[in-house]
Every structure is written in C-alpha cells, then in structure tokens.
Amino acid sequence: MTTGVIPGGPPPEPGPTGPDGPQLPEQRGEPAGHQDRHVDNRTRSSVITARAAASFEPLGRSVATARSFVRDTLQGWGFGDIVDDAVVLTSELVTNAVVHAGTAADVLCLRSANGVRVEVADRYPEREVPLQSAAVSMGSPDREGGRGLQLCAALAGRWGVEYTPTHKNVWFQLDSPERPVGTRSAGPSLPAELLPLADGRVRVAVVQIDRGGTITAWNEDAEELFGYAAEQVTGKPLTDLAAWPHTPGTGTGVAEALRLSRWEGSYGIRGADGRVIPVYASHLRVRDSGGEPSTVCLLVRDHERAILQTPLRLPANTDAGTGADGSNTDPFEVFIGSPAPDDLDSLLQRTVERARDMLDADAAFLLLATDDETELEVRASTGLPSARQRFARVPVEAGPGRYGSARMPAVHDDLTAAPGAVPLLGGTGMRSVVTVPLKVEGRLTGSLGVAAEASGRYSNEEALRLQFAADRIALAVESARLGELERLRRGSLSFLVEASDLLAGTLDRDQTLALMAQMTVPTLATWCAVYTIADQASDPYLSYVLHEDEELIDGIKSLLSKVAPPDPVPTPGARIWPAPGEAAHQAALRSSMRSLSLGDSHHRIGTTIGPTLATAAAVGGETVVLPLVARNRVIGMLTLGKPADEHFRQEILELAEDLSRRAALALDNARLYSERTAISQSLQRSLLPPGLPQIDGVEVDVIYRAAGEGNEVGGDFYDLFPIRDGAYGFAIGDVCGTGPEAAAVTGLARHALRLLAREGYGGPAVLERLNSAILDEGARSRFLTLLYGELWPQEDGSARLKVVCAGHPLPLRLRQDGTVEPAAEPQPLLGVMEDLELYEQTVTLDPGDVLLCVTDGVTERREGTRMLGDDGLADVLTTCTGLTAGAVAARIMRAVERFAADAPSDDMAILAMRVPEVLQD
C-alpha cells in the first residue's frame, strides 16, 4: 500500500467533462434515479484543504487495510462524527474492487470545509453499472457483493460513478454535521486550580523532518526551548538531538516513529547546554505537492503535555462497562476500540498499544501460549525492539513461586533487584513491570504485560485494571488465534500436497536436494542447508546450501564447512543448533578486530569485512535441525535458519517437520534409484564388448541406444571378435524382455558364441549348441533372435561372409549402384524348439558394398499406426551409397529418431560393415 497526505493541496479535477462542460449523470454512467441528488456536485466550489491517497493490492487483507487508512485519515482531520459511515462505504467499495473485480483499488480522501469526499477507483471499467430507473431494484442487500452503491444511496449526501478507458471510479461525499464552529471535542468546565499547569508563555516548537530524518525547519519557539539557532541544526539528523527513552543515545526508535503517519508520545531533546529536556511530541507525516514526504513535529515541555495530548476515549474514573452518558457499552469495544481489527496481528498490536496507554507505560507486550501450554511466544510489542523479540519463546513456568509463573498476575517494582525475572525485558532498560494472564475457560492462552523505565511505577491496583482488560480481550484473541491457525493449517496442507507432488516427480538425487531447499526458502526459513549421510559409518556431508539472497550462499557455505556438522540424532522434531550463529559471531568479531589493528590500512580489507558481517547477520538468528529419517535410518539433516535476532514460529517448525519426513523418503528413494541405475548400467556395459577389433580391409562401426531411463538392463547386444588368423566372428541379437532374466541369457549367448566359435564349430553348430544351453535354463530361459556370421577379408579387396539368421531381422546389403537386398534367409529363433536344423549362407561383399545389421528396435519404430519396417529401413539405406560404415550407421540412427517424436521404447543396436573401394594407381 502507498499513501500520502497533502495538507492544503490544490483541489482535484471533479471528474470527466464533455466538450461543452461537465457531463451529465447519464454520460458518466451514473444511476439515472439519483440525478437530482448529486448532479450539482460536479461544479462544487468547496476548497480542498487536504487530501490523502492510497493504493491497495487485489488481496483479501487489503479491505481491512483500506478501512484503517480511511479511519485514521478522517480522525486525523477531525471528522470523527462521519468516520463510521465513511469506513462502511469504503469497505464495500474496496471489497467490490479487490475481491469481486480482482483488481487493485485506489482510494482518495479529499477534505473540505463542508465535509469529506472519498473516491474508490478500480481498474476494471468493463464492470459498468447499468442505467436504470428509480423503480428498478439494485439487488438484494443480503447478497455477498454489489451492496456498495445501495449503501452510497443510503448513507452519502451525494455519490456517483465515473468511467475512463482504464478505471471505474465510485465516489461519495459525506457532509459534516451541524455543530458549533471550531468545535471538535470539548471537556467539562473546571475550576482554575484544576486546570493543567503551564508556563506563562507557552512555547510550541515546530520542527519539520525530511524523509531521511534530517531537520529542514526550526521555528523561534524551538530556538527558545532548546537553545539552538535554526542554522545550527538545519541539515542535521534529529537523532543527533533526540534522546529516545527506549534506546538511549541511538536513533532507532525515533527513526521508526518518524516513518509513522501519526505518532504521539514523550522523549527528550538535548539542549545547547548539554542537558536533556523532556518533551511531549505530536508527529504528523505529510507530503508536499511534488509527492515528497516529510514529518511535522510539534514539541512542548513534558509537563505541558496537555496542550498536545489527545484526550482519552473515556475518563479514567468511568466504569469499564458504562459509557460517559451512563449507557451500557461493550467492555471489549471500550478497551480495543470499534471496529475491532479483523486479523490477529492487528488485534494484538492494538491490544498492546491500548494497554500501554491505559497504564501510561513505556512498553507493552503480549505473548500467546503454545498448544501444550509449556511455552509462550512473543506475538506483539510496543516500545521494545520488536524485530529481536518477535516469535521468541519463554517458558510458562520460569521459576518457583507466584511471580515465576505466567498463570498468575505479577508485579515487579524493580527488575534490577530480580534479574532474569522477565527474560523478555533483558537489556531493554525497563525496571518496573506488571504482567497478567489471558485465560479462556480456565486454560492459559497468553500473557499481557506493560513496563516502565522507572522503578515502583505499578501496584496491585494497576494489575487489577490490566487483568480486567485482559479478561475482556482473551476470548477475542483466542478466537482470532484459532482462525489464524485454521488458515495456517489449510495453507500447510496445500503446501505439503504441492511439496509431495514435486518430490514424487523426480528420482534424481541432486534435483531432490535442490527441491528440498527451494521449498523451504523463503516459505519456511531465510536460509537452509541439507546434510546427507552415505552410510552408518560415514560422517554428515554438507550437500546443499540455499539463501533467499544468492550473494550470501557462498559465505554461508564457507562458514558451515568450518563448523562441525550437527549430530545425526533420530529423535523427531526440531532442535536448536547454536553452532552456526556462534561461529558467525566469532568470525565477525575477528574480522572487526583485524580491521581495527590495521589503522590506516583498514580500507584494504574493507571488501573482506563486508561479506563476513553480512554472513554473520544472515545466520545470526535462530537455527534448527530436523533429522531426515527414512526406513528407520538417519540419512541426513535439514537445517533451517533465520537472520540475526529472528525466531521461528511453532507452527512453522511443525510444518517443517512434516516436510522433512516427506523429503527424507524422497531422498532415500532417489538414492536407491541411483544405486539401481548404476548397477544396471554397469551390468549393461559388461554384456557388451569392451571394444571392436581392427579388421584389415573392412570398416566396422556400431551404435547402441538403450531405451528407458537407464535403470533396466536391455536385451539387445552385439559382438565382434577374432576367431583365428584372418577370420572374425560377429553377432547381433535380441533377448525377449529386459531385466535380470534377459541379462542372464544375454551373457550366456555372448560368451557361448565366442567359446564355441574359437573351438572350431561352424555357424549352425554354434547356434544349435547355444539353443540347447538356453533351453537348459528351464523356466528362466528366454527366446533369442540372433544373427551370427563369420567374416574373412580377401586379398582381392572383397570380403566373404557366412551368415545364419535365427529369427532376427534380415541383414541388408547395399551395393555400389544403390540397390538394397537381403543378405540372408529367415530361420527359426533360439530358445523355443529343441531340435533345430540351421544352415549358413555365404555372402561376398565387393569393394564399396555395405552390410547393415540391426535389432527390431530399429525396424519396429512407430509413430501412431505407422511403423518404419524393413521397407522403410531399406529406403534409408539406399541413400547411403559412398558413405563410410560410421556415416551409414549414423544416418540410419538419425532417420529412426526422426521417424517419431516420442522417445524410443525399445533398445536399438546397429552394426554396419563396409568393404572400402580399391584405390587405383
């Protein structure tokens, strides 16, 4: 959301106009039945004295933010009488824009002497309001959407709808009620002795601060109050003069206050004489006509605070359940304000702010109990360094006795006398504190506390007042907390479903590690590291590191490599691991010490100190470790971390634990798959020849492609081996199926062929004996198609072959003239019948001829109902005239791959032999 306030800015254009002047309502798309009510608004003469604008994203929570923006703006302008109507109308119109239209909403508030005009524009001009007569109903007021215009008609003095090519703008104007001129609020008449005490000459310092916190204006009263002339302080940061009560001597607190749209409270200003002058201040953030923001600060002496201090909603002595007029009011609304914030965080923040103001405290905090009521988690605070404390956890039972338990009210007069009594306030400068429990039906749901820098500020009377307020809000807080938990659980379920789908979608170990880290950062943590354990005897190994800022990854990785890894404890749940934070702190300290010792050479190591300090800040927060347990074994650890001074929510840790269980199983599945793939690939390599022999006078080349993902052993194989001097055996075969059974037959065939051929058996005898060996395997046997042959290079440059084709795709012979013909006849395959009568055929390859042998993965390549087939293979081979054996095999493979878009579903082997042409002298 972006906002801005421009006191006294120029009036905006009232709306679109036609060529001859202002458009009529019919031209603007306004409901015709309301012409008489607001047509005169188009020429209004009221002077715009201030404006405030804000833009809201198309998110559900933007509606609540828009309500708060309008409420704060109008209350700041003094229009408390009409603020409720304005908030209701804005809520409906913004809901129509961000929820129903699904676009961003731009809200503009305009102040004039007569009242307030609010404009809500969305970026969906196509959603027009249809022209209709007054008698036509605008819809049911009970339906979820579309009530904005009805409410405008009922509540606003004037309203309308405007259209542009890019926006639809709904506006309404609320006139301020009749009241005495200049009266905004009034108090009772008091005797003079009861009036607030002030000096005879009241001085109000007016100081203007730019967006960088620098003083740009300093009036005469400021010179009198603090002793500085305007030229002495102009251009200096206000933090040089301000003594902020919560962080003395620093500008952290005041810098945050200057960024708020409105702030009121006490602090100190160091005068020219060095003394700190207590002041009461009222800050208002504004912007000039050019859009440049600044803050106007009104300062008076602290004992004159009544001049600036905003009146309390109710007198201090008014009963909490009775209004100023004696009417009964809701005690919850009295304390928290109306309307109550919609979301839990806003409700808790409003609670601590009201509790602080109620007891005139310097700080307040609210903690919520975990489900088991053993710890309290900091959820809201004011006046404390909230970034450091948010989501920090403290035990419910911090010590013996009443004051050591959050279940009972406690009052501490001086924390310096009882250090550690309230761990949350350690190092904050707070001395007195009162805490009370929040209980619902006797169950502890939280703790509310206020604190002051002075000692002895609170007694049992203040504790009773605070307890009364806590009892009023406990049920609302618990209801909002349960609603938030329900939303978190729904979001967690969606997150876990998506995570499970992503993790189940890969069996690659490295990709699984990356997914684990990317799902946790930044959703669950700012950075994460994954340690893996290879086996029980191995130490944890840092496998993956990720940070939401990629520039910090190397620094964190280097830091963790120097820290002993966490112990692989199988106990479920997250446990704190302080080692990274401590190591980062020590590294930053050593770097700082080295830089200080170098004196003038400090600039030479500036580039090394920066990354060290950045790494220390990145890992300086809470770090937790979750074990990755799969199949009753710790296979790694998931480490999640927050930056300096940040803590994890309990719900986030529970979600991380669920994720770690799923990630552990996915990581172990990836490990098993990788091991299986490695085994399969190793076995596949063992079933193929380690290399091809060089044959004088014959070119030989082979291409082998395994189908699938590489985790199955294929049934295709080839071989080429010397039998004796001048004779070579070659084979290409295909065993039915894949896997271990097919691998057994493949290994048997390959080794049997070599053994029998070298024993002097011819081709038919070799295959008949191999057939018997396969049948002897019994139920484990698989049938086998096999092309086996013997090759003899001849002195005249040709090559003679004897070939037996047992159920295998026929070898093709390519002649020099481009003709292609089968080089053998089909015969029965092996592993089916016991008595085979095989014969061999003799083929002579002339110089330039090619013999192509393939497995059925090539010929049975499919694209829908089409199949490459023997004819398609022959057609491709006819284009290979004059190519080498390697080029022939490559062209065949390219043609097969291009034949279909899908990946091959079967293994493919291509064996090409070519007799080179004889070169003539």
Side-chain angles (χ1 to χ4, degrees):
M1 183 189 79
T2 57
T3 63
V5 180
I6 312 175
E13 291 297 328
T17 59
D20 300 320
Q23 289 181 318
L24 294 176
E26 292 84 356
Q27 294 171 301
R28 296 192 302 272
E30 301 174 10
H34 298 272
Q35 294 176 19
D36 297 338
R37 297 184 58 189
H38 54 80
V39 68
D40 59 332
N41 182 69
R42 313 321 298 166
T43 59
R44 69 179 188 272
S45 59
S46 300
V47 176
I48 302 301
T49 58
R51 70 173 67 183
S55 296
F56 303 92
E57 296 299 322
L59 302 172
R61 63 174 180 269
S62 294
V63 179
T65 310
R67 287 198 295 264
S68 299
F69 164 70
V70 172
R71 176 174 293 279
D72 292 343
T73 300
L74 269 59
Q75 285 179 339
W77 288 348
F79 290 105
D81 296 325
I82 59 176
V83 68
D84 290 334
D85 288 347
V87 168
V88 169
L89 294 175
T90 303
S91 179
E92 288 297 328
L93 297 178
V94 173
T95 299
N96 289 340
V98 304
V99 176
H100 301 300
T103 77
D106 300 325
V107 179
L108 174 64
C109 300
L110 303 174
R111 182 183 70 182
S112 66
N114 300 328
V116 174
R117 172 187 169 102
V118 178
E119 300 181 359
V120 179
D122 67 43
R123 300 163 192 179
Y124 194 173
E126 291 81 2
R127 292 176 60 94
E128 294 187 358
V129 178
L131 296 177
Q132 50 197 325
S133 65
V136 178
S137 172
M138 297 180 67
S140 170
D142 297 326
R143 65 179 181 173
E144 180 181 355
R147 298 173 299 187
L149 299 182
Q150 288 181 310
L151 290 174
C152 287
L155 300 179
R158 290 179 294 276
W159 66 278
V161 185
E162 303 167 354
Y163 292 97
T164 71
T166 59
H167 289 74
K168 177 177 79 155
N169 187 39
V170 181
W171 61 269
F172 61 87
Q173 184 156 336
L174 298 172
D175 296 330
S176 58
E178 294 295 331
R179 57 185 177 180
V181 176
T183 300
R184 175 183 172 187
S185 63
S189 299
L190 295 176
E193 60 270 15
L194 297 181
L195 295 176
L197 181 65
D199 292 343
R201 166 71 166 89
V202 176
R203 299 188 181 275
V204 180
V206 180
V207 182
Q208 191 159 3
I209 314 296
D210 65 13
R211 73 159 70 212
T214 301
I215 299 172
T216 59
W218 184 269
N219 71 343
E220 293 181 0
D221 281 357
E223 295 182 6
E224 292 293 332
L225 283 175
F226 309 122
Y228 299 104
E231 57 270 15
Q232 291 180 275
V233 294
T234 302
K236 291 185 178 181
L238 180 63
T239 53
D240 289 353
L241 306 179
W244 201 251
H246 306 143
T247 52
T250 68
T252 303
V254 70
E256 292 178 350
L258 292 174
R259 286 193 294 269
L260 299 176
S261 61
R262 182 176 291 277
W263 184 91
E264 187 175 316
S266 300
Y267 53 92
I269 296 290
R270 290 186 184 83
D273 57 2
R275 294 185 298 108
V276 175
I277 302 170
V279 297
Y280 192 82
S282 176
H283 297 175
L284 176 66
R285 192 161 171 81
V286 300
R287 63 171 179 154
D288 60 22
S289 57
E292 183 66 20
S294 62
T295 303
V296 176
C297 305
L298 305 181
L299 310 174
V300 297
R301 293 184 179 92
D302 191 58
H303 66 273
E304 298 172 341
R305 64 169 57 193
I307 298 168
L308 298 179
Q309 191 169 25
T310 302
L312 296 176
R313 177 179 290 269
L314 287 176
N317 60 350
T318 301
D319 184 76
T322 305
D325 58 355
S327 61
N328 290 330
T329 58
D330 184 358
F332 171 74
E333 296 291 348
V334 170
F335 179 74
I336 205 64
S338 177
D342 295 331
D343 61 296
L344 177 62
D345 287 337
S346 298
L347 176 62
L348 298 183
Q349 193 61 37
R350 178 84 64 85
T351 299
V352 295
E353 291 171 357
R354 294 298 171 88
R356 178 196 61 186
D357 296 341
M358 184 178 71
L359 296 186
D360 195 21
D362 295 315
F365 52 89
L366 193 149
L367 302 85
L368 295 183
T370 55
D371 291 338
D372 57 5
E373 297 185 32
T374 60
E375 287 186 314
L376 294 166
E377 190 176 66
V378 180
R379 291 300 301 271
S381 65
T382 181
L384 297 174
S386 57
R388 176 169 66 89
Q389 303 295 345
R390 188 165 169 80
F391 300 125
R393 291 179 293 278
V394 297
V396 170
E397 307 293 343
R402 167 185 169 182
Y403 290 168
S405 173
R407 302 180 188 277
M408 299 291 291
V411 178
H412 294 275
D413 290 331
D414 194 347
L415 290 178
T416 59
V422 184
L424 183 65
L425 300 180
T428 61
M430 301 297 159
R431 295 185 63 182
S432 55
V433 61
V434 54
T435 61
V436 296
L438 276 69
K439 292 185 177 181
V440 175
E441 298 180 350
R443 184 173 60 87
L444 180 70
T445 60
S447 176
L448 176 63
V450 297
E453 291 182 340
S455 61
R457 284 281 298 275
Y458 305 114
S459 63
N460 288 338
E461 180 181 354
E462 283 80 10
L464 289 174
R465 291 180 62 194
L466 190 62
Q467 184 66 72
F468 181 81
D471 293 341
R472 302 286 76 77
I473 66 169
L475 186 59
V477 169
E478 180 66 3
S479 177
R481 187 183 74 89
L482 293 176
E484 180 190 67
L485 288 177
E486 181 61 26
R487 289 190 295 272
L488 283 174
R489 289 191 177 102
R490 287 199 298 267
S492 299
L493 288 175
S494 176
F495 172 78
L496 290 174
V497 168
E498 182 179 357
S500 299
D501 288 343
L502 290 173
L503 291 170
T506 179
L507 288 171
D508 180 82
R509 176 183 175 276
D510 293 337
Q511 190 173 359
T512 302
L513 289 172
L515 282 174
M516 290 170 56
Q518 291 165 7
M519 284 185 292
T520 57
V521 176
T523 305
L524 306 181
T526 306
W527 65 272
C528 104
V530 183
Y531 290 84
T532 56
I533 303 174
D535 52 61
Q536 298 292 344
S538 301
D539 293 328
Y541 174 75
L542 182 62
S543 299
Y544 202 92
V545 175
L546 184 65
H547 190 282
E548 61 183 7
D549 184 353
E550 294 183 357
E551 294 182 357
L552 297 176
I553 294 177
D554 291 338
I556 297 176
K557 189 180 299 183
S558 175
L559 176 70
L560 294 178
S561 65
K562 300 173 184 176
V563 177
D567 296 331
V569 179
T571 306
R575 69 181 192 275
I576 303 297
W577 185 34
E582 294 173 356
H585 176 74
Q586 292 297 325
L589 183 61
R590 288 193 299 269
S591 295
S592 300
M593 295 296 292
R594 285 196 300 268
S595 67
L596 292 175
S597 65
L598 289 178
D600 294 339
S601 301
H602 170 67
H603 66 278
R604 292 184 297 181
I605 65 164
T607 55
T608 62
I609 296 176
T612 302
L613 297 180
T615 301
V619 302
E622 191 172 58
T623 303
V624 298
V625 177
L626 298 104
L628 298 175
V629 181
R631 298 176 176 89
N632 299 320
R633 186 174 72 88
V634 180
I635 63 171
M637 283 89 68
L638 177 63
T639 303
L640 307 179
K642 287 281 190 180
D645 300 329
E646 290 196 19
H647 301 265
F648 285 98
R649 294 185 61 174
Q650 187 63 35
E651 295 84 1
I652 294 297
L653 294 180
E654 294 172 358
L655 180 58
E657 185 178 355
D658 286 340
L659 176 63
S660 67
R661 287 194 290 267
R662 290 165 170 78
L665 188 59
L667 184 61
D668 201 46
N669 288 340
R671 177 187 62 83
L672 294 175
Y673 179 82
S674 298
E675 292 178 356
R676 178 178 177 181
T677 300
I679 293 172
S680 298
Q681 291 175 349
S682 177
L683 180 57
Q684 187 73 67
R685 287 192 298 269
S686 70
L687 299 177
L688 299 175
L692 299 177
Q694 294 292 330
I695 303 177
D696 294 335
V698 178
E699 299 175 359
V700 180
D701 204 346
V702 174
I703 295 179
Y704 180 84
R705 291 285 190 273
E709 300 178 355
N711 61 332
E712 288 283 352
V713 182
D716 290 13
F717 71 96
Y718 65 89
D719 201 0
L720 180 65
F721 55 91
I723 299 175
R724 50 188 174 272
D725 292 341
Y728 297 87
F730 65 92
I732 184 169
D734 186 1
V735 178
C736 173
T738 59
E741 293 83 1
V745 176
T746 301
L748 171 65
R750 178 169 171 264
H751 294 293
L753 288 175
R754 289 194 173 213
L755 178 63
L756 294 172
R758 288 170 178 171
E759 288 295 324
Y761 292 98
V766 169
L767 268 59
E768 289 168 3
R769 285 166 173 74
L770 176 58
N771 181 64
S772 299
I774 294 174
L775 292 175
D776 289 343
E777 292 293 311
R780 297 179 300 174
S781 65
R782 298 290 184 94
F783 65 80
L784 166 67
T785 67
L786 180 65
L787 172 65
Y788 174 76
E790 295 179 356
L791 168 67
W792 290 272
Q794 304 297 308
E795 293 182 358
D796 60 358
S798 63
R800 185 166 57 90
L801 297 86
K802 292 184 178 181
V803 182
V804 181
C805 186
H808 200 76
L810 300 178
L812 299 179
R813 176 182 181 180
L814 172 63
R815 296 183 181 275
Q816 277 189 298
D817 58 4
T819 59
V820 175
E821 59 185 8
E825 297 176 354
Q827 300 185 59
L829 51 78
L830 308 181
V832 178
M833 299 179 293
E834 292 185 359
D835 297 326
L836 289 181
E837 294 184 0
L838 302 175
Y839 58 92
E840 62 185 6
Q841 296 173 272
T842 301
V843 179
T844 300
L845 296 180
D846 296 325
D849 288 355
V850 175
L851 184 70
L852 178 67
C853 311
V854 300
T855 58
D856 59 5
V858 174
T859 56
E860 294 180 3
R861 177 73 163 145
R862 294 180 180 275
E863 172 70 18
T865 58
R866 298 186 306 123
M867 186 172 71
L868 181 63
D870 296 332
D871 294 338
L873 179 63
D875 291 341
V876 177
L877 185 59
T878 57
T879 66
C880 298
T881 304
L883 300 181
T884 63
V888 171
R891 179 169 292 186
I892 297 297
M893 179 57 70
R894 283 197 304 272
V896 172
E897 290 175 343
R898 293 173 180 172
F899 185 80
D902 296 336
S905 59
D906 195 4
D907 298 339
M908 294 184 292
I910 300 174
L911 171 63
M913 293 183 289
R914 177 178 180 270
V915 178
E917 299 177 3
V918 179
L919 297 177
Q920 301 292 332
D921 294 336

